[in-house]
Amino acid sequence: MSLIIRHVLGAFAIASASACLAGCATTQTSPTFDAAAVAPPPPADAVEQVGPVDAIAVQGGDFYAQMKDAGFNVPALKPGQVDAAFLRKSVAYSTKEAPGTIVVDPAKHYLYYVEAGGRATRYGIGVGREGFAWTGEATIRSKQEWPDWYPPKEMVERRPDLKHQLVELQSGLGMHGGPGNPLGARAMYLWQGDKDTLFRIHGTNEPWTIGKSQSSGCIRMINQDAMDLYQKAAVGTRVVVLPANVARR
């Protein structure tokens, strides 16, 4: 494919993503729409009633145990919150992509961090109800720990109950980063050259949405997984998002 055609398709894809999904909020650009950040409440069977902390069983073992980070508490993943098929796992993965590349497979609700020797770390993800409106290649332009969230005024008008959670921040009305923030513990911002794709890879405080299509475009991960990927993926990491109708593992 010629460079000119690739450029035109890339520009069209970004425009389509903006129109259809308007992406996730960011702390570095003007506030953008993030319906992904307010997902449906968990199903009744996804929230387990538990006793004292020392009696809580942890789904996925040490990977998903409770931890402290930057003064915040990252809760343990409770049994049954996420289908076991979407827990972090080292897998055989045949790909032409170089080690260090991130491959997102929205059709299967997986994200792969490619490693040497035909292996990858596979993470479960949540994606948009509509499927991805944007596919292609991008790079991680920046990363944020416990990012702030800026819902657009349209969302606040639709959800007046959000107002009491918002304060004036450096980029407008938003929510400070923390355990209650919809963007979770980490966020990685995807750009194509000097163009913001409006897609982000980020954590979530709604783990029951992992492995499902209940958000509106961003790539959401279990907080512990987002933290793990954040450590591995440097700024400049190449990200390949496969078409939503491509079925791969």
Side-chain angles (χ1 to χ4, degrees), residues 83-234:
D83 187 316
F86 299 105
L87 299 181
R88 189 191 322 168
K89 186 177 183 181
S90 176
V91 298
Y93 188 63
S94 178
T95 178
K96 62 179 179 146
E97 306 300 342
T101 303
I102 292 172
V103 179
V104 180
D105 187 346
K108 290 292 185 181
H109 295 90
Y110 286 131
L111 180 151
Y112 298 86
Y113 182 79
V114 180
E115 295 159 351
R119 306 289 298 179
T121 299
R122 187 184 71 188
Y123 306 89
I125 58 172
V127 298
R129 297 182 193 90
E130 312 89 338
F132 270 68
W134 175 79
T135 61
E137 301 178 10
T139 58
I140 295 178
R141 174 72 169 265
S142 62
K143 309 193 301 179
Q144 294 288 324
E145 298 186 11
W146 298 101
D148 295 337
W149 173 55
Y150 296 93
K153 64 178 183 179
E154 293 85 0
M155 175 180 284
V156 176
E157 288 171 356
R158 271 198 328 274
R159 292 282 309 276
D161 57 297
L162 291 175
K163 289 183 179 179
H164 74 278
Q165 304 178 54
L166 307 178
V167 296
E168 196 65 39
L169 301 177
Q170 59 180 351
S171 297
L173 197 63
M175 183 187 298
H176 284 296
N181 188 300
L183 294 183
R186 300 289 188 272
M188 290 153 271
Y189 300 85
L190 307 186
W191 288 58
Q192 287 182 324
D194 61 353
K195 299 291 185 182
D196 187 350
T197 67
L198 304 179
F199 286 95
R200 288 82 175 88
I201 300 170
H202 66 84
T204 181
N205 56 9
E206 299 161 327
W208 55 88
T209 62
I210 300 301
K212 301 177 182 178
S213 299
Q214 292 187 341
S215 63
S216 292
C218 284
I219 305 160
R220 56 169 59 192
M221 306 176 72
I222 299 168
N223 270 327
Q224 286 90 337
D225 284 349
M227 295 166 73
D228 185 71
L229 181 65
Y230 187 96
Q231 289 183 317
K232 294 175 180 176

